[in-house]
Amino acid sequence: MEANKINLKCIHELLGYHFIIPSFQRGYHWTSQQVNDLLNDILEFTQKDQKPKKEFYCLQPVVVTSGANGYSIIDGQQRLTTLFIILAVLNEIKKLITGEIFTLKYETRKDSEKFLKEIDISRKNENIDYYHICNAYETIEEWFANKPGSVKIDFLNTLLRDDESGNNVKVI
């Protein structure tokens, strides 16, 4: 990413990126409603009939600054964390389609990075970050459990499609 430049990036293009969540950022605090809203919005786009060829679903902006060890997130940490958790839930399917998820490193809540990689619901009440991460994880699992199996594959394909023709998910 270039300095002071606005780009559209497919979620696929973020795979392999290293994001740093600076100490001034609050912890992850999305509610089940916010997680469900995101899932439903992407699903609605995925199932939309007659999409124009270059149409895409655009998440809110992700604002970053480039550093030696990755990209520091100025805005968009909640969205990126939720996307990370969605990919964690869909991990078995994702392994068949693509490689690694992007990384999220916390300057102050160092254990949260490891916890995100190995979400353990039994540790939900250890701290407020784990609580919200686990709630999001459970919300996402429940959301997919109530959908036909093909929805997982279609959802993941839309989320990670790298095709410039569109029909995917992007961030500004």
Side-chain angles (χ1 to χ4, degrees), residues 83-141:
L83 287 172
F84 187 96
I85 297 169
I86 291 169
L87 292 172
V89 169
L90 297 175
N91 193 35
E92 289 306 311
I93 296 170
K94 187 192 78 58
K95 286 179 184 174
L96 299 173
I97 296 173
T98 186
E100 288 296 313
I101 300 174
F102 52 85
T103 61
L104 293 170
K105 183 176 182 166
Y106 297 80
E107 282 186 345
T108 53
R109 297 172 301 279
K110 304 223 184 274
D111 291 342
S112 292
E113 176 182 6
K114 183 177 180 191
F115 187 79
L116 264 175
K117 290 179 183 176
E118 301 168 11
I119 296 172
D120 180 356
I121 301 299
S122 70
R123 298 179 61 200
K124 180 177 187 170
N125 293 318
E126 286 184 22
N127 69 48
I128 193 72
D129 288 338
Y130 293 5
Y131 177 83
H132 288 290
I133 290 168
C134 287
N135 275 348
Y137 188 88
E138 290 172 319
T139 298
I140 294 163
E141 277 192 322

Side-chain angles (χ1 to χ4, degrees), residues 7-11 41-42 45-46 48 51-60 158-159 161 163-172:
N7 293 313
L8 275 174
K9 292 274 188 193
C10 301
I11 301 304
D41 286 350
I42 294 172
F45 173 77
T46 298
K48 185 177 175 183
K51 284 186 283 236
K53 191 172 183 177
K54 293 197 179 241
E55 186 175 355
F56 57 89
Y57 178 79
C58 190
L59 293 171
Q60 296 293 320
T158 299
L159 192 61
R161 185 173 289 125
D163 189 348
E164 282 301 314
S165 66
N167 293 322
N168 54 10
V169 178
K170 297 182 180 185
V171 294
I172 299 172

Side-chain angles (χ1 to χ4, degrees), residues 6-93:
I6 296 174
N7 293 313
L8 275 174
K9 292 274 188 193
C10 301
I11 301 304
H12 180 270
E13 292 178 88
L14 302 181
L15 300 179
Y17 275 39
H18 302 288
F19 293 104
I20 300 157
I21 300 170
S23 57
F24 64 81
Q25 289 279 355
R26 67 184 175 115
Y28 180 73
H29 285 233
W30 263 23
T31 65
S32 292
Q33 181 64 52
Q34 291 166 306
V35 171
N36 276 310
D37 287 348
L38 176 63
L39 290 166
N40 289 329
D41 286 350
I42 294 172
L43 179 65
E44 183 180 323
F45 173 77
T46 298
Q47 296 179 334
K48 185 177 175 183
D49 289 334
Q50 305 295 328
K51 284 186 283 236
K53 191 172 183 177
K54 293 197 179 241
E55 186 175 355
F56 57 89
Y57 178 79
C58 190
L59 293 171
Q60 296 293 320
V62 173
V63 180
V64 298
T65 59
S66 182
N69 297 322
Y71 294 96
S72 289
I73 300 173
I74 306 303
D75 185 35
Q77 184 255 129
Q78 304 293 315
R79 288 180 294 279
L80 284 177
T81 302
T82 304
L83 287 172
F84 187 96
I85 297 169
I86 291 169
L87 292 172
V89 169
L90 297 175
N91 193 35
E92 289 306 311
I93 296 170

